[in-house]
Amino acid sequence: MNLNDMWTINILISLIILLFNPLLGSSSWIEVPGSPFIGPNTDANLGKVVHFYDQTTLFTSEFSVGPDIEMGYTFEYNETDDSWPYTTFEPTISGIQAFFNAIDSVDGYMVAAAYRANNYDGRIYYYEKVGDSFVGQEVFESVSNLKFFGSSVAILSNIPHPILLVGSIEAKIHWFYNSAESWTRNSDTAPVSKFGESFIECQDSLGLCVFGTGDSTAIYVYEVDGSGYNITLVQTIDESNTNFGQRDGSTYGDWLVVGGYGKAFFYKHNGTEYLHTQTVSGSCGSSSFGLGSISMTQNMVAISCISNRRVLIYSLGGDDVWQFTKQIQNSVTNSNFGNGLSFSKYDTEVLHLAIGTTVDYMYVYDYQFDCSNDIMYIPCENSPCVENGTTYTCGECDPGYQDIDDPYICGDINECQNETLNNCNPLRECVNEDGGYYCDVCPDNYVNNGPYECQDLCSYGESECKSQRECIFDFENGNYTCGDCPSGYVNFGDYDCQNVCTSGTSNCSYLRTCNFDMQTGEYTCGPCPMNYIEQGLYNCDNYCEADMDNCDERRDCIFNQELHTYSCGDCPSSYINDGEVGCFNFCQAKIDYCSELRDCVYNEISNYTCNNCPSNYINNGDYDCIDICESGEHGCPQYSHCLFENASFSCVCDNGYELISDECLLVCEVGYEREDGICMISCGEGYIRNEAKDDCLNICEADMDECSEARECIFGNENYTCGDCPDGYEAINDYECGKLVIVTNESEISGGGLMPGIELRDASLKMSQGDFVLISTIHIYLNLTI
């Protein structure tokens, strides 16, 4: 497809859009009274550059055919007679051919560029708004005869030090920052030549400036740092389109539009970079679309098609799609209609569009709004658009807005600054927003109750307390606690309950399963395992503890808690194990040393003792028995021996002896008799044995008689008699002789010395021999024997 065919298709598409879209063209553009404006110099191009400062002030340039006659103009709207009278600005040096060659402004001042006919000696002029007038001064000039210095200018003002950027045909980037009411020059090497020659557009809201070039197919996006002293390249956009960015571009808000050969390219900033969204081809049937001037305002862009003397209007529709909506056409031949374009500021009752030419007049159009059917632009903010003949007014402010002495804008009411204007609970912070307010979320432990109120989590039923635990809210501190769990449950953490079985806090022994009844809130303990018995409602005693084991009482019961079994310990030292459970003492086990004749008797001290031997046996040490004969304790008399037979014994006298009265006595020969177990000679009556026991002596011979010494022993007839007493004595019996003495007092006894051995006692005498005879109470007769 050749270029002419492409343009034909574009024209057809545009015509179809105009015919079948009833919204397009519903609002009209009307020339203001006095338009077109004619300058004083008929040989100049009025409106080569046009720039609206605000709603009523329009700057424009006059590019002269010859030298020294170029001027700048300000057209100010006069509401009294609905006219636009102008004021002339003259350069401060001669030879200026491109005065007001580039213009930009912010609130309070305007800057304009100019250079001589030889394109050198560029100048930047600064005009400050003082009252209703602009007072200007030359600020700085180009360096080293820099050619086309000031071919474009732009101001970025949302930083501490406003910055001015200036284009030229050199590979230089020039910027000036205004600090302490003076401008400081700065420059750096640019990526390409003719940097900023075509256009520079800055967007305060993004802090970005876009540079076109004179002969590149790319544009360059720079970011200005917060100080305003430095700029940095952050993005390069190259569409590989002939003349892309070489004539004009424009920005508004997040949007950027750049002209190219027969096309216009739209971009939207996503917070990081510009992204291409759409490319449009003008319906003017000429490749000059995109090569003329471009101006953008709120939701609307104007693009000139110079060779066909048309200006095409595009408006922003849904889904961020730009739609062709209007065409403004002029019939002036060779006027380059649209040589310069500028929208007035956004907040106007009637939107102005200035269109320059290459002849001696300039056009200004008003956009006539249609409140009911205008898809491009309705300037009333927060109030309804009210049609009033050919114009409109803004009605009463919408709810949440208030009059701020602006006919078109209603300001937001900050309901949060006055508690009577909002219904927020004190716990919910009032947050103002455009056209209203909302109550921020309730603090912790509360929930939003409708758009305004707060409800504590307890009463709202959204606390973390489980159903068994009462939620108790502390309104003073703004928090809550959970009450204690009911009977049968225990607190589990700060919010939950566990039944006593699950929590392990029941009274059930670990050996008994805890069974919880969810309906009654009570629990029971299951049965005890094997080898245990139940101990009350909760516990288990093992067989050892319960004394239910089979272990002998002398063997300890040892319980294995892990296996739940028991075993019997060993019997004590005086016993031996009887299988797994019993004990045998030494007697029962038959391991004692007792003789068969002696019963084994258990003794814990000495393990066992042996009973005494049976009758006719004698204990032999601790264990054995010996028969009574063997023991020598049989009791048999002397001269006999013990004979043991059939568990009994008898005594048998030895040879030569005979048993007489339990004694064994010698058997004596005739004439002998036993005495003291010995056979002795047998003596007759009146005789006794001699000392040798071998002979017999009569009593007198043996001196065994009782006769006193004074009387002779006379033997005869197997007996003896005593002879007569000596003279002076008398026989006082059969054996003794006596003599009678009369004693009259004791002195006679004690001092007389009649006979030794006499002792007087208690008025009586006791003789060592004989007896006394009481004669009278005076005289004692002593019988003295010899």
Side-chain angles (χ1 to χ4, degrees):
M1 180 182 294
N2 58 37
L3 186 60
N4 289 330
D5 291 338
M6 182 178 70
W7 282 112
T8 301
I9 292 174
N10 286 338
I11 292 172
L12 290 174
I13 292 173
S14 299
L15 290 174
I16 291 171
I17 293 173
L18 286 171
L19 289 172
F20 292 100
N21 189 343
L23 296 179
L24 300 182
S26 61
S27 297
S28 60
W29 289 90
I30 302 174
E31 287 189 58
V32 301
S35 176
F37 301 151
I38 301 174
N41 187 354
T42 58
D43 294 327
N45 298 330
L46 185 64
K48 177 178 180 293
V49 175
V50 291
H51 178 83
F52 267 108
Y53 171 78
D54 54 19
Q55 301 91 339
T56 59
T57 302
L58 172 63
F59 288 99
T60 183
S61 65
E62 180 186 62
F63 190 83
S64 64
V65 177
D68 299 328
I69 59 174
E70 183 160 350
M71 298 291 181
Y73 300 97
T74 301
F75 289 85
E76 294 277 356
Y77 175 68
N78 188 332
E79 186 177 2
T80 302
D81 58 2
D82 203 21
S83 64
W84 290 78
Y86 66 85
T87 301
T88 302
F89 291 85
E90 296 185 7
T92 57
I93 59 174
S94 61
I96 292 296
Q97 188 177 4
F99 191 47
F100 280 19
N101 178 69
I103 306 171
D104 199 9
S105 65
V106 294
D107 289 341
Y109 60 89
M110 180 271 285
V111 293
Y115 46 81
R116 291 179 185 271
N118 59 6
N119 298 327
Y120 291 101
D121 294 334
R123 297 287 191 275
I124 302 298
Y125 289 86
Y126 170 79
Y127 293 90
E128 184 177 3
K129 182 73 178 290
V130 179
D132 294 332
S133 302
F134 283 89
V135 179
Q137 59 177 324
E138 180 183 337
V139 181
F140 35 76
E141 60 182 314
S142 63
V143 179
S144 302
N145 292 324
L146 185 63
K147 197 170 185 180
F148 287 110
F149 177 74
S151 56
S152 62
V153 292
I155 301 172
L156 190 70
S157 62
N158 68 332
I159 50 180
H161 310 292
I163 187 171
L164 168 65
L165 299 105
V166 180
S168 69
I169 66 170
E170 307 293 336
K172 286 282 189 179
I173 181 171
H174 306 274
W175 74 95
F176 304 83
Y177 57 86
N178 189 341
S179 178
E181 298 184 357
S182 64
W183 292 89
T184 301
R185 181 193 301 265
N186 209 338
S187 65
D188 198 358
T189 301
V192 294
S193 61
K194 297 185 179 180
F195 197 72
E197 180 191 21
S198 57
F199 73 90
I200 305 174
E201 282 285 324
C202 292
Q203 183 50 253
D204 280 351
S205 62
L206 300 177
L208 300 176
C209 293
V210 183
F211 290 78
T213 67
D215 56 8
S216 172
T217 60
I219 61 174
Y220 301 87
V221 183
Y222 278 78
E223 182 179 45
V224 180
D225 67 13
S227 66
Y229 300 135
N230 299 295
I231 62 175
T232 305
L233 177 64
V234 294
Q235 186 180 4
T236 300
I237 302 174
D238 189 341
E239 294 294 347
S240 299
N241 172 274
T242 304
N243 303 121
F244 175 72
Q246 293 181 13
R247 177 59 180 93
D248 203 0
S250 184
T251 63
Y252 196 94
D254 296 334
W255 287 97
L256 164 68
V257 58
V258 180
Y261 184 78
K263 296 182 179 181
F265 300 84
F266 288 88
Y267 305 88
K268 188 174 184 180
H269 203 273
N270 66 356
T272 302
E273 61 181 350
Y274 281 109
L275 298 179
H276 178 258
T277 64
Q278 187 179 356
T279 300
V280 298
S281 299
S283 58
C284 58
S286 170
S287 60
S288 65
F289 178 77
L291 298 182
S293 185
I294 300 175
S295 182
M296 178 178 278
T297 186
Q298 176 79 16
N299 298 337
M300 190 179 296
V301 62
I303 305 174
S304 64
C305 191
I306 296 176
S307 61
N308 286 17
R309 301 178 301 279
R310 297 174 184 172
V311 174
L312 305 184
I313 307 297
Y314 291 82
S315 62
L316 183 62
D319 298 326
D320 285 343
V321 176
W322 291 89
Q323 300 175 346
F324 170 71
T325 57
K326 195 72 175 178
Q327 176 177 267
I328 303 175
Q329 187 173 4
N330 185 274
S331 60
V332 178
T333 305
N334 297 324
S335 67
N336 282 343
F337 183 74
N339 192 59
L341 294 174
S342 178
F343 282 111
S344 62
K345 299 302 180 182
Y346 162 66
D347 52 353
T348 60
E349 181 181 88
V350 178
L351 179 64
H352 302 308
L353 174 61
I355 303 176
T357 68
T358 55
V359 293
D360 58 351
Y361 39 75
M362 174 184 66
Y363 296 84
V364 176
Y365 291 83
D366 283 343
Y367 178 69
Q368 301 299 303
F369 293 92
D370 182 347
C371 292
S372 62
N373 197 21
D374 194 305
I375 66 170
M376 293 186 296
Y377 189 81
I378 297 179
C380 290
E381 290 191 21
N382 309 316
S383 64
C385 176
V386 179
E387 293 181 6
N388 184 15
T390 59
T391 64
Y392 75 98
T393 59
C394 297
E396 293 185 3
C397 295
D398 296 335
Y401 295 91
Q402 60 185 344
D403 188 358
I404 57 172
D405 294 329
D406 187 300
Y408 314 110
I409 299 176
C410 289
D412 175 58
I413 298 174
N414 190 341
E415 294 88 351
C416 297
Q417 290 181 342
N418 187 338
E419 63 181 13
T420 63
L421 298 179
N422 70 80
N423 297 319
C424 292
N425 185 294
L427 293 172
R428 297 180 69 171
E429 181 183 0
C430 178
V431 180
N432 189 62
E433 60 181 357
D434 194 25
Y437 71 96
Y438 67 92
C439 303
D440 207 352
V441 296
C442 297
D444 291 344
N445 299 319
Y446 290 87
V447 295
N448 296 349
N449 184 8
Y452 310 114
E453 293 298 328
C454 286
Q455 189 170 349
D456 65 89
L457 290 178
C458 290
S459 62
Y460 192 72
E462 289 292 334
S463 74
E464 294 187 63
C465 296
K466 298 305 178 182
S467 58
Q468 300 99 327
R469 298 181 69 172
E470 179 186 4
C471 181
I472 303 169
F473 202 84
D474 183 348
F475 290 96
E476 182 176 354
N477 297 312
N479 55 30
Y480 68 90
T481 56
C482 302
D484 290 331
C485 298
S487 176
Y489 294 83
V490 294
N491 296 349
F492 182 63
D494 292 331
Y495 311 110
D496 208 348
C497 285
Q498 279 190 341
N499 65 60
V500 292
C501 291
T502 304
S503 66
T505 57
S506 73
N507 292 325
C508 291
S509 164
Y510 73 97
L511 297 168
R512 300 178 69 172
T513 302
C514 183
N515 302 312
F516 195 81
D517 188 333
M518 303 296 289
Q519 292 182 343
T520 64
E522 298 178 350
Y523 71 94
T524 57
C525 303
C528 296
M530 184 178 65
N531 293 325
Y532 290 86
I533 64 169
E534 294 180 6
Q535 180 67 26
L537 297 176
Y538 311 113
N539 296 316
C540 289
D541 279 350
N542 61 53
Y543 271 23
C544 293
E545 295 170 332
D547 200 19
M548 295 289 291
D549 59 275
N550 295 324
C551 295
D552 187 281
E553 62 182 6
R554 286 155 293 204
R555 295 180 72 170
D556 291 334
C557 182
I558 302 171
F559 200 84
N560 188 317
Q561 301 288 347
E562 183 176 352
L563 300 178
H564 303 313
T565 59
Y566 72 89
S567 60
C568 301
D570 290 330
C571 296
S573 59
S574 57
Y575 293 85
I576 62 172
N577 295 347
D578 176 17
E580 294 183 352
V581 296
C583 279
F584 281 159
N585 60 43
F586 279 42
C587 298
Q588 294 168 326
K590 304 294 184 184
I591 60 171
D592 59 277
Y593 294 102
C594 293
S595 165
E596 293 181 356
L597 297 172
R598 299 180 69 173
D599 291 334
C600 181
V601 179
Y602 178 71
N603 184 317
E604 290 188 356
I605 298 176
S606 58
N607 298 334
Y608 68 93
T609 58
C610 300
N611 241 346
N612 290 329
C613 297
S615 178
N616 297 325
Y617 288 89
I618 301 298
N619 294 351
N620 183 19
D622 292 331
Y623 310 111
D624 292 328
C625 288
I626 57 175
D627 60 65
I628 195 167
C629 292
E630 186 180 0
S631 70
E633 296 184 12
H634 42 74
C636 289
Q638 192 177 6
Y639 308 118
S640 67
H641 61 275
C642 183
L643 179 65
F644 195 86
E645 289 179 334
N646 298 323
S648 64
F649 74 97
S650 61
C651 297
V652 179
C653 292
D654 296 337
N655 289 332
Y657 291 85
E658 59 180 345
L659 182 65
I660 299 175
S661 301
D662 295 329
E663 290 184 306
C664 286
L665 301 176
L666 283 173
V667 177
C668 295
E669 296 177 0
V670 177
Y672 286 81
E673 61 180 352
R674 285 187 297 276
E675 186 175 333
D676 296 330
I678 301 172
C679 288
M680 299 180 184
I681 190 168
S682 179
C683 296
E685 183 72 26
Y687 290 86
I688 63 173
R689 296 180 190 92
N690 64 4
E691 186 175 354
K693 309 296 184 183
D694 57 356
D695 195 10
C696 293
L697 299 175
N698 62 47
I699 292 175
C700 292
E701 291 175 333
D703 199 16
M704 294 296 290
D705 60 284
E706 296 182 12
C707 294
S708 68
E709 291 181 0
R711 298 174 74 173
E712 180 184 6
C713 179
I714 302 169
F715 188 81
N717 295 323
E718 298 180 353
N719 203 351
Y720 72 93
T721 60
C722 297
D724 295 334
C725 293
D727 293 340
Y729 290 86
E730 295 179 359
I732 60 174
N733 54 33
D734 290 338
Y735 309 110
E736 295 176 307
C737 294
K739 185 177 184 180
L740 182 63
V741 179
I742 300 173
V743 180
T744 59
N745 56 48
E746 294 180 7
S747 63
E748 292 181 1
I749 298 174
S750 60
L754 297 178
M755 185 171 289
I758 298 174
E759 181 181 351
L760 181 65
R761 252 180 217 176
D762 298 328
S764 64
L765 294 175
K766 180 180 179 183
M767 304 300 293
S768 60
Q769 290 184 0
D771 299 317
F772 66 87
V773 178
L774 181 61
I775 301 300
S776 67
T777 58
I778 304 288
H779 299 93
I780 298 175
Y781 292 86
L782 299 178
N783 184 17
L784 303 177
T785 62
I786 56 173

